[in-house]
């Protein structure tokens, strides 16, 4: 995986790493290189802006940004680039990610953030959504995604068999 | 705009047209052709599945799906294609789109929906997000998006001037 | 319990088994055979549609579908059958089943889902609701349900005695 | 429609009539007689209990109960009968039916209420769900429901044509 | 405490006992006898109605009813008596008592339930509210409540001293 | 109604008068005098405290306090008296009374507020709850409440007749 | 009011002007000059950052920022200055300002936003809070605030008289 | 730190100490003395009022008040002083601090509370917000805050380095 990264994965704090790793992991499964780092919309606004502004020139195609609480990171990043920005709301406060979800998805007209589910499920889906965007101009990713869909279906069917084995046959 | 449509805009009901038109309108502003139609995840599941399954072959690059209440349309469409699917949650019930938002964004791992804001703001942003995805392989769209960002900024500044004119100078 | 299953119990993932078992268990208590399997509305949409479409011909009278997050399974199943579909919203995300509840209950006009409570209580009640529907054409189930109601009442009274024993008499 | 009613439609207040009429109307469309009346779980608890207790003997097969606020009607009715009880949460307070939804759907284990969507959409779906239950032992209702599904699909397709006519062809 | 009970404490399930004991305990601290038992609005509706209907004649002055989920108990009890009914919403489902709170407090016009906080804090306050009502016609309870208020204030002040001792003096 | 007031009705602002009048009206229907005035927990804290502190001596038996937004009035009043305090959460902000409900009902252990429904329904019920408390020591109020309950039931039945007249007979 | 502005009032869009004017108006009532302008965290991120960064040097003491939806403005501004930043969440989407409230108040550790109520009430309070901060180093503002408090109390009392005049005397 | 305290930190209960200590700790880091004590808006209303009323004379510049449930403390304190009052909503009930947040932030026009995030993050930010207010008239605090911002940014960058070290270089 020494290829140039096509996806930039940002997180508001290094404590978000275990969750955001899900995005990096799924990209790695598909052989797509990603660059992962920390940038806080509030503690390092210039850093967040610079990473976003410079991403396109560095060959980044999609940015994934995960943050909790008043999760401004994805929106702030989206304000500095025309690359598609995928926002992952994290469950990092007593209100269980509802704050991060609304802060990420309710972007005003003009600057969209492609928001996915709260937490780990969302982080993994952010990686897959990035692959679906990359697949628009990379046939090998498209083919891999189609194979992945079939694999997922087969896994569900395998689990179905296991659950059925204990059940009355249809 | 007799070009082949690159974006497929689906809505669960024709009553959603005034909102979903925002997506079509912004695409038209950028000279990108879209095809807009109605498909219900529940009343016409086969139609929704067929439109999703066949979209890639027809040259569609991105699908936008808007639905209210238990808004399953975007998720059902996403299950039948590896194209990026953008979900627009609509405010169509007493709980004001919170049902549609959670039904659209909280997709389980494996099948993401790129969710935008509830209602008109979201529909417009769905169009812009589609453009940002198209721009990955279309330099003219990328250039147009950069110009659009500058125009938006100038408009904000013009409005700022108007508001300031009545205010004490800084 | 080698009888032909009258109730089909579907779940979006095998991790839902411990909860959905509650539905199977209550049906078994009443000597009603059920078939339980896994079908994801998103990872195996065709499988979910096929199971729903074919259920009536296989002698199924009621379908129970449990799913978490953007719980589309019950709605997708309901779209493919005129059998009554009972939806069990599962608590499978940081927002504690509120996403699954709204995704299951807020069905648009035309395709209802009979929704029960979130989680285990709902899964058990899904089984009982299925029995109440079966009882419409099966007197033995109706009689068993009436006996069950009396048993439940007696159990509450027994517990009441235990609580009262430590209390001042009325 | 001088047939004996098979569905009992209850509402907590006569102000709920315009909404609950949706349930009666859809039943009438299918030629199924229903009896509609008012019974408050709180202002007339004995009346609500009596209607529920006596329903089965009077030939009722399904009960639909609509109520707003702390909507106890469906649950109270369900406590007095083993007939399937469909609950329609009504939007009758500043919190927009969320109170009625949770009061209706979150029934404790033992006594289920088959809950549908908040308001008019839910009332109409309550009628359809009742028909789906009746169809288990009435082939003509089953056939009519299948025809209804096709009609609904055709209507969606007709609307789709109308929306498409203004759009770029696919 | 062999006195006749003046407060009837009902709970929907014996699993609610550890919480509802808080109400009994505070009444006992004031030397007011209470009778505590289980009555389910749904599993034993007749029992709940009978307890409510007969309470006044048995010398009960106030009823406290605690229930979780679709907490109908307090409302159902209130429908059968003109005694003041205090409702304690319990945290017994994934939505953390919000269901029980709305089911208890949002009573329709005519039949109020005096609702207190969710869970243990509410159960304890239900006991105190019952005492405040009893104090209207029992001077000794009134006097005890005033002493109790002073004690509470002193305890807060004692704790304040402890916290302050580690702090910079004002 | 020149009798000495037994119920003190407070509201946070005179804009709450149309809603809080419901409480006064129902008391007047029962011939119970009430005194109604404005006192803000925040703008006139001393006034609120004084009214609460002095109420018992002036012969007040129950206090009703209605407020919107961060509705502290009922809690602040309750802190200064051992009289039962009934809180009416008002719908006075974009979040539709949910703020006032939680601010009123979630009182910490020691100082309860008897909370009723949001808005007009709650204000009317506050009056009835006050009557139910007064009835503990006033047989004529108790008798009037019983008659009122019967009247309410008869009214529901009258409305039931009207709804039924258009329906298929049971 | 030709004095140099001490308070900078920012809003995300000129459509927020009628609400944010409340903040300017209350400052004007106290003779404190403010400068009001538009700056979008997303459409003009550099402008928002520049205004925040330069504010302290221009003599600004407090910044007020109002925004709706995913209201990032206050947080983004706070990231660029050590001046106290007051955030006003605006009701500008179907979810009624709950999105803006959580986006504004749930700031991560390190960069606080002093959040006030949603909408007009909050905008007015933002002005008053700014005055309370200015009063720390400006005795005339402090004195004016004390007079204002007295005036507010008198107004409440005047309204109280009006409401009481129609009521039974205490 | 034998200096006179400039910040008064109040909490509704000594069980709030571990959370509210975050505010005291950050002030101590900056060498600003604070006085911390317990005062309940409901159990010791006079104490809360006295502490608020007397604070200004004792040299207090800012008050921080933390409370859970129906968190009235900050509002009650704000009603008795023109000092800026910072409210910290605490997560002390099953609804996870949403009650405390709305009770603290939704203050009616006239008496603002500067509300920060729920729980520990909010308590720490309350301390920092207090410092930002103190910095308006204390250059050394302003300088320390600027240094603190830089330190925070450097820490984020250090963490970024650590996360990046395992990632593909950009």
């Amino acid at each position: 995986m020494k290829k140039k990264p096509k996806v930039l994965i940002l997180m508001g704090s290094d404590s978000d790493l275990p969750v955001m790793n899900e995005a990096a992991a799924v990209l790695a499964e598909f052989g797509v290189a990603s660059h992962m780092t920390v940038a806080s919309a509030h503690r390092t606004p210039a850093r967040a802006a610079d990473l976003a502004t410079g991403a396109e020139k560095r060959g980044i195609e999609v940015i994934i940004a995960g943050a909790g609480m008043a999760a401004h990171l994805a929106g702030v990043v989206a304000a500095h680039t025309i690359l598609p920005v995928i926002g992952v709301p994290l469950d990092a406060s007593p209100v269980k990610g509802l704050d991060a979800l609304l802060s990420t998805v309710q972007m005003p007209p003009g600057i969209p953030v492609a928001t996915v589910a709260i937490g780990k499920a969302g982080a993994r889906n952010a990686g897959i959504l990035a692959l679906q965007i990359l697949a628009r101009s990379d046939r090998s990713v498209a083919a891999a995604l189609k194979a992945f869909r079939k694999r997922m279906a087969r896994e569900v069917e395998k689990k179905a068999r296991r659950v059925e084995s204990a059940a009355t046959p249809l």
Side-chain angles (χ1 to χ4, degrees), chain A:
Chain A
M1 231 173 56
K2 281 281 134 97
K3 293 180 265 179
K4 252 190 106 36
K6 293 203 164 157
V7 180
L8 175 61
I9 303 175
L10 300 175
M11 64 202 79
S13 156
D14 63 339
S15 62
D16 304 333
L17 190 57
V19 174
M20 296 310 294
N21 254 336
E22 294 280 322
V26 79
L27 289 165
E29 286 172 34
F30 280 77
V32 169
S34 68
H35 180 74
M36 188 149 64
T37 188
V38 180
S40 163
H42 302 117
R43 280 166 289 192
T44 59
R47 177 176 166 78
D50 289 352
L51 280 161
T53 308
E56 199 182 356
K57 284 212 179 125
R58 274 160 167 154
I60 296 296
E61 298 276 330
V62 183
I63 301 178
I64 295 171
M69 300 187 70
H72 297 186
L73 184 61
V76 161
V77 163
H80 286 91
T81 181
I82 63 154
L83 292 177
V85 176
I86 302 171
V88 185
L90 302 181
D91 167 12
S93 83
V95 292
K96 311 305 268 158
L98 190 69
D99 44 4
L101 172 57
L102 293 171
S103 301
T104 303
V105 79
Q106 286 292 86
M107 290 292 289
I111 312 286
V113 166
T115 307
V116 289
I118 301 166
K120 279 202 172 181
R124 185 165 166 82
N125 271 353
I128 297 170
L129 181 56
L131 291 165
Q132 289 182 278
I133 294 170
L134 293 175
R136 290 303 76 227
S137 52
D138 184 336
R139 280 161 181 263
S140 71
V141 173
L145 276 168
K146 282 170 190 171
F148 166 73
R149 285 283 175 102
K150 281 189 193 130
R151 235 159 38 232
M152 263 200 315
R154 272 200 302 273
E155 270 165 50
V156 170
E157 276 151 28
K158 221 187 291 176
K159 287 170 179 175
R161 294 294 94 74
R162 217 149 37 208
V163 167
E164 285 169 13
S165 68
T168 315
L170 200 59

